[in-house]
Amino acid sequence: MKMQTKKQGFVFGILGLLLISAVFMSGCTDNDDVQEVSVVGSSTNLPIAQMAAEEFNREHKNIRVSVAGGGSGYGINAIIEGTADIGMASRDIRPAEIEKVPNVVEHTVARDGLAVVVSKTVYDAGVTALTTDQVRDIYSGAITNWKDVGGPDEDIYVVERADTSGTYGTFMELLGLDETAAHSTQLENSDVARTVSTADYAIGYVGMGYIGTNNPAIALDGYMPTTANVLAGNYPLQRGLHFYTDGQPTGAIKEFIDFLMSTRGQEIVAEIGFIPVSG
Amino acid sequence: MSARKLIALWLFVVSVVVALMGFWAMATRASVDYWVLTGSLGLISIICYVSGVHHYLTVKNKHGLHMILYGAVVLMVAGLSIYIPKVVDLRPWEIYTRIPNDFFFSTFMLTIGILSSYVSFRPFHNFTKEGAQSGAYYIIHLSIIFTLLPLFLIMFNIISRGMGGITWEFLTEDIVSMGERGGVYPAIMGTLAMITLTAIIVLPLGVGTAIYLAEYARKGLAVRVIRTAVNILQGTPSIVHGLFGYAFFVLILFNGQKCLLAGALTLAILTLPIVTRSAEEALNAVPGELRDASLALGATKWQTIRKVVIPPSMPGILTGTVLGIGRAAGETAPIMFTAVYFSGTGTPSGLLRPIMALPYHLLSLYRLVGYRDVESQAWATALLLLIIVLGINLSAIIVREKYRQRF
Amino acid sequence: MVSRRVKDKLVHLTFFGIAALSVVIISFIFIFLFIRAYPAIDMFGTDLLGSEWNVSRSKFGLLPAMYGSVFVAVGALVVAVPLGLGAAIYLSEIAPERVRMILKPLIELLAGIPSIVYGFIGAILLGRYLYDTFGMRGVNSFLAAMLVLGIMALPIIVSMSDDAMKAVPKDLKDASLALGATRWQTIRKVTIPAAISGITSAVIMGMGRAIGETMAVMLIIGSVMKMPVPFFNVFDTGNTLTALIAVQMGESHGIIINVLFTAGIMLFTIVAVMSVISDILQTRTTEKFEGKR
């Protein structure tokens, strides 16, 4: 019997420990010194928000910026439903959406060229430039072999974004397509970049921040997706990267938006590979 | 040893060597020369032929002919292999694949090697039923080896690639530059907070269900329905738990806010059947005589359960809970829509705040592999996750094995 | 005395309440999934079972994902069943107790590896290996998913079949051995036929796991909403119900969310039916041997 009491004591000890930690953790909930700012939406804007939040949170102990992906539509929807403080979108807000959230304020923190990237093998084999018509034909399935655009005699592996993403929408709109012959559909910009860089004969499209050495960008209609070409309006596929708020931001939300637009915030934009809008 | 056994042994050794060569060539994608293939298969075929002829001359029954026939088939495979083109291009048939003949050659060597070593047991035991048994046992031993092989491959790769990344800084620093630099501290804390909370929620529910099933009602419609529900819950895909957690906890209970509590509640539902089953097993292991004795002494049912049945089954109950927690710690799909935000800094700051978790951090690192320098960090994260999850499981298994033979 | 009995009754009721929670949860899962799925079912009806998926044209046919789920699960079973059966026979009939005590926990460890780790390894190492070997378009393929899911289904099949074969009474086996049969003949002619419903239930549960697996498949399968061409092409990319939900859920809003919940209901129903069948088979085995114990 004594043995059992001992064991019981041990068990209740563990349970007690668990309970104490629970109380301790719920105690933190009541601590309202920390202001929470939630940012959700486009995966193109995501690295900007993430890197900015990392620095911002370090400097502001009383504000916690949480960042999540979800896509442009999701970001705008979160503003409409009020489930997030800031919604990110890599496309412009649509009139139908503005109707649902009339006080929406747009903060454009960066510009972006939609880069067409190819596998390194293809790039090295000489496909370093395409026309928008060629890209359209590749995505519509009219061109299926690299040799038709001056590359090796290999079939093209066409990679696209999930058709729910803002980048997909922008790309299709800019090319005037409504259906593709893609072989692979990827969730986020980074997934497209990885798929293209791990294959040998692939083509895909990503935000400028996602160009890599194994997924180099090619020139479109003679222009590379560079800062100068996008700002001058020469590069055909381009867009703004927006952060939307419901009404003029105040308090912690305003501080974060201000940080994004500050010199340091715009430096982060450039570091990631997008185009700063000021400074 | 008789000549028959020696020939069979020879066949076995040669076949195993050929199978190993085939396996090695397949694993390293080494180029296999056509003559290596025909040479090795030819040798196997010759030994089969010798074995068959020897058997036929000494015993004169159909088994010898079978060996000769088998040898002929092997020789035919070797001979026909020359018609396999350098690259088998399936693209004309709309299958986007180009298979080099090396692949077929190494596959042939592997399969025919295994098959022939299996066959060699028959002549060794003079074509008796013991021969059939040894051959079958041989294949069964191979299958347990191949079952455990992935475990070792996974362990080896993760440990060798992730070991270098696990440093003190990795464990204690914030995530910097989306994981390219810094550590995974917030993710570790997030996962720990989540599994602690899950344990607190699931323990009373799981044990309560088990007590009802084991102590109060062993038969009847209600028990049948509850048991079926627990089984369905156990089989429910984790993504469905995630959807439910999003639809019910996040959207209805927490007003659209992903948070620690929503994730823990979802994981509690996921682990409930695991805890229930182990707890029930532990309760059932307590002999009925103990209960009867307690009841006979005038104790009520509840007193009996509390004082007599639960104490000895506590190790089993805790084991089940810990196993459930191990499962919860590694899950991604249920927390993806219910609890996790990308969040560079900061440990969990409250029940109603979103968190970062290790499995989800691994997913976001994986997404960056290839064009950002995160691969070593990703392997280190995978190793850390594996250490945590398998560590939890291992401790549970050890406790269980230790307390298994109590009654 | 009365108050003690009332208290006992109350305790009984409390435990019944807790136990009934599982039933409540199951119904809640179904109800809330259905509430979220209903707008899509209402709007598209049987079009949801079609084969065309095109968001910009509002075509949401889930057939490719359904086919993909079944296709990968069948492929996984082709890998897992022979291996798993062999391993289970070894563990339950051949292995000495000492070896068994080591191997069983090892196989449980295999089951404990998180699916995201399987996916990570599968995509980075296995996918690359298959890409280099078969010269496919990219590293994603049904084949890679089948192999990974096969490995993931192995522990379930092994441990459940092992339990089923262990449950066959020793008397039956001894009788067979006494009649002069070898141990292998006994396994083949007595143990396996006697345990067959338990083994079938193991295979069904393994298939359920393969159909329900999410993270590993999501990283490997390619997530393209189309059928493989031709339909048995394991080198093609495709989608499963689980990967579809996991990939698109975070990226979507509006009616697509409802469509994804419809996919969730399909998944839940398929796996629940499989659980129930497997459960019935298992009860049958235990009842057959444990009789009126």
Side-chain angles (χ1 to χ4, degrees), chain A residues 137-152:
Chain A
D137 286 348
I138 287 173
Y139 273 86
S140 70
I143 295 178
T144 58
N145 195 302
W146 282 113
K147 72 172 191 281
D148 297 335
V149 291

Side-chain angles (χ1 to χ4, degrees), chain A residues 11 15 18 22 26 28-29 36 46-47 50-51 54 57 64 66-69 154-155 187 190-191 194 210, chain B residues 96 98 175-178 196 200 203 307 314 341-342 344-345 347 349 351 353-354 366-367 369 371-372:
Chain A
V11 165
L15 283 182
L18 290 178
S26 54
C28 301
T29 323
E36 194 87 10
L46 193 65
Q50 238 178 312
M51 300 261 280
E54 281 173 12
N57 286 343
R64 243 305 269 292
S66 302
V67 184
E154 292 286 348
D155 289 347
L187 171 57
S190 54
D191 298 315
R194 190 189 58 254
Y210 291 87
Chain B
Y96 198 95
R98 285 159 292 175
I175 300 165
V176 179
S177 300
M178 297 180 285
T196 315
I200 294 169
L203 193 60
K307 297 272 167 62
M314 213 58 209
Y341 264 53
F342 292 104
T345 52
T347 44
S349 58
L351 289 179
R353 302 264 163 85
Y366 166 76
R367 292 219 172 110
V369 167
Y371 73 103
R372 266 182 192 264

Side-chain angles (χ1 to χ4, degrees), chain C residues 83 120 173 179 207 233 253:
Chain C
L83 268 185
F120 181 68
K173 300 176 196 168
L179 287 171
M207 186 160 178
N233 185 359
H253 61 106

Side-chain angles (χ1 to χ4, degrees), chain C residues 40-290:
Chain C
I41 298 172
D42 185 43
M43 189 181 279
F44 303 113
T46 51
D47 284 355
L48 288 170
L49 300 175
S51 61
E52 192 189 350
W53 177 279
N54 187 323
V55 172
S56 42
R57 285 204 221 132
S58 285
K59 293 282 186 195
F60 300 104
L62 291 169
L63 188 67
M66 282 148 70
Y67 178 77
S69 283
V70 176
F71 190 39
V72 285
V74 168
L77 288 187
V78 170
V79 178
V81 169
L83 268 185
L85 266 187
I89 294 174
Y90 177 78
L91 283 179
S92 69
E93 306 295 320
I94 300 175
E97 193 55 28
R98 256 234 188 105
V99 179
R100 184 183 151 84
M101 290 286 275
I102 299 169
L103 290 187
K104 236 188 149 185
L106 271 184
I107 285 172
E108 277 178 65
L109 282 192
L110 195 59
I113 297 175
S115 61
I116 184 83
V117 173
Y118 275 111
F120 181 68
I121 295 230
I124 290 205
L125 297 182
L126 181 67
R128 187 76 218 179
Y129 172 83
L130 294 176
Y131 175 73
D132 289 340
T133 304
F134 295 114
M136 299 177 296
R137 276 205 176 92
V139 294
N140 300 319
S141 64
F142 273 109
L143 182 62
M146 286 166 175
L147 289 174
V148 170
L149 285 183
I151 294 169
M152 295 179 75
L154 257 179
I156 291 190
I157 295 181
V158 173
S159 60
M160 284 182 70
S161 317
D162 172 53
D163 290 345
M165 282 189 266
K166 272 275 172 204
V168 176
K170 207 164 173 306
D171 314 359
L172 268 181
K173 300 176 196 168
D174 289 345
S176 162
L177 290 172
L179 287 171
T182 61
R183 280 169 69 197
W184 171 238
Q185 282 171 323
T186 307
I187 293 169
R188 212 157 42 108
K189 297 276 167 60
V190 177
T191 313
I192 292 182
I196 194 68
S197 50
I199 294 172
T200 317
S201 122
V203 172
I204 294 175
M205 282 314 277
M207 186 160 178
R209 167 110 203 235
I211 287 184
E213 183 45 55
T214 310
M215 301 317 292
V217 179
M218 164 187 170
L219 301 188
I220 300 172
I221 196 85
S223 309
V224 198
M225 268 310 256
K226 63 174 178 51
M227 308 276 271
V229 181
F231 68 92
F232 54 83
N233 185 359
V234 294
F235 301 105
D236 209 345
T237 51
N239 215 346
T240 64
L241 288 171
T242 52
L244 173 77
I245 299 170
V247 167
Q248 306 247 346
M249 188 73 185
E251 286 271 290
S252 318
H253 61 106
I255 192 76
I256 302 170
I257 295 280
N258 306 117
V259 174
L260 296 179
F261 271 95
T262 316
I265 284 209
M266 286 176 184
L267 199 58
F268 183 52
T269 316
I270 296 171
V271 178
V273 168
M274 293 173 87
S275 296
V276 171
I277 295 175
S278 152
D279 198 36
I280 291 171
L281 286 172
Q282 222 179 0
T283 331
R284 191 174 288 171
T285 328
T286 36
E287 272 170 9
K288 190 159 76 185
F289 296 125
E290 292 179 5

